[in-house]
Short mmCIF file of all heavy atoms in Angstrom, two decimals:
data_model
loop_
_atom_site.label_atom_id
_atom_site.label_comp_id
_atom_site.label_asym_id
_atom_site.label_seq_id
_atom_site.Cartn_x
_atom_site.Cartn_y
_atom_site.Cartn_z
N PHE A 19 22.22 -63.50 -51.71
CA PHE A 19 21.18 -64.03 -50.83
C PHE A 19 21.00 -63.18 -49.59
O PHE A 19 19.87 -62.97 -49.12
CB PHE A 19 21.51 -65.48 -50.45
CG PHE A 19 21.34 -66.44 -51.58
CD1 PHE A 19 22.44 -66.97 -52.22
CD2 PHE A 19 20.07 -66.80 -52.01
CE1 PHE A 19 22.29 -67.85 -53.27
CE2 PHE A 19 19.90 -67.67 -53.06
CZ PHE A 19 21.02 -68.20 -53.70
N ILE A 22 18.97 -60.17 -50.59
CA ILE A 22 17.56 -60.56 -50.75
C ILE A 22 16.90 -60.73 -49.39
O ILE A 22 15.76 -60.28 -49.17
CB ILE A 22 17.44 -61.83 -51.61
CG1 ILE A 22 17.86 -61.52 -53.04
CG2 ILE A 22 16.02 -62.38 -51.57
CD1 ILE A 22 18.00 -62.74 -53.93
N ILE A 25 16.16 -57.37 -47.95
CA ILE A 25 15.03 -56.74 -48.64
C ILE A 25 13.71 -57.24 -48.03
O ILE A 25 12.82 -56.45 -47.71
CB ILE A 25 15.07 -57.02 -50.15
CG1 ILE A 25 16.21 -56.23 -50.79
CG2 ILE A 25 13.74 -56.67 -50.81
CD1 ILE A 25 16.51 -56.61 -52.22
N GLN A 41 -2.72 -48.45 -35.58
CA GLN A 41 -3.31 -48.67 -34.26
C GLN A 41 -3.27 -47.40 -33.42
O GLN A 41 -4.25 -47.06 -32.75
CB GLN A 41 -2.59 -49.80 -33.53
CG GLN A 41 -2.88 -51.16 -34.11
CD GLN A 41 -2.07 -52.25 -33.44
OE1 GLN A 41 -1.12 -51.98 -32.71
NE2 GLN A 41 -2.45 -53.50 -33.69
N GLU A 43 -3.20 -44.34 -34.58
CA GLU A 43 -4.16 -43.42 -35.18
C GLU A 43 -5.59 -43.79 -34.80
O GLU A 43 -6.40 -42.91 -34.49
CB GLU A 43 -4.00 -43.44 -36.70
CG GLU A 43 -4.83 -42.41 -37.41
CD GLU A 43 -4.55 -42.39 -38.91
OE1 GLU A 43 -3.41 -42.67 -39.31
OE2 GLU A 43 -5.49 -42.07 -39.66
N LYS A 49 -10.40 -41.69 -29.07
CA LYS A 49 -10.33 -40.73 -27.96
C LYS A 49 -11.03 -39.43 -28.32
O LYS A 49 -11.82 -38.91 -27.55
CB LYS A 49 -8.86 -40.46 -27.61
CG LYS A 49 -8.68 -39.47 -26.50
CD LYS A 49 -7.21 -39.19 -26.29
CE LYS A 49 -7.03 -38.01 -25.37
NZ LYS A 49 -5.66 -37.52 -25.37
N GLU A 60 -23.23 -33.12 -22.95
CA GLU A 60 -23.28 -31.97 -22.05
C GLU A 60 -24.18 -30.87 -22.63
O GLU A 60 -24.95 -30.25 -21.90
CB GLU A 60 -21.88 -31.42 -21.82
CG GLU A 60 -21.02 -32.32 -20.96
CD GLU A 60 -19.58 -31.84 -20.89
OE1 GLU A 60 -19.22 -30.85 -21.57
OE2 GLU A 60 -18.81 -32.48 -20.16
N GLU A 61 -24.11 -30.67 -23.92
CA GLU A 61 -24.96 -29.66 -24.57
C GLU A 61 -26.43 -30.05 -24.49
O GLU A 61 -27.29 -29.20 -24.24
CB GLU A 61 -24.53 -29.48 -26.04
CG GLU A 61 -25.26 -28.38 -26.76
CD GLU A 61 -24.97 -27.00 -26.21
OE1 GLU A 61 -23.88 -26.78 -25.64
OE2 GLU A 61 -25.86 -26.12 -26.34
N LYS A 66 -31.65 -29.14 -22.10
CA LYS A 66 -32.79 -29.73 -21.39
C LYS A 66 -33.07 -28.96 -20.10
O LYS A 66 -34.21 -28.66 -19.78
CB LYS A 66 -32.51 -31.20 -21.08
CG LYS A 66 -33.66 -31.89 -20.41
CD LYS A 66 -33.34 -33.34 -20.14
CE LYS A 66 -34.50 -34.00 -19.41
NZ LYS A 66 -34.21 -35.37 -19.04
N THR A 68 -32.26 -25.87 -19.47
CA THR A 68 -32.75 -24.54 -19.85
C THR A 68 -34.23 -24.61 -20.23
O THR A 68 -35.03 -23.76 -19.84
CB THR A 68 -31.94 -23.97 -21.02
OG1 THR A 68 -30.57 -23.96 -20.66
CG2 THR A 68 -32.38 -22.57 -21.36
N ALA A 75 -41.16 -21.53 -15.48
CA ALA A 75 -41.40 -20.10 -15.33
C ALA A 75 -42.77 -19.70 -15.87
O ALA A 75 -43.33 -18.70 -15.47
CB ALA A 75 -40.30 -19.32 -16.04
#
Side-chain angles (χ1 to χ4, degrees):
F19 288 106
I22 292 171
I25 289 170
Q41 289 176 347
E43 187 175 328
K49 179 184 169 193
E60 289 172 356
E61 185 65 27
K66 183 179 178 185
T68 304

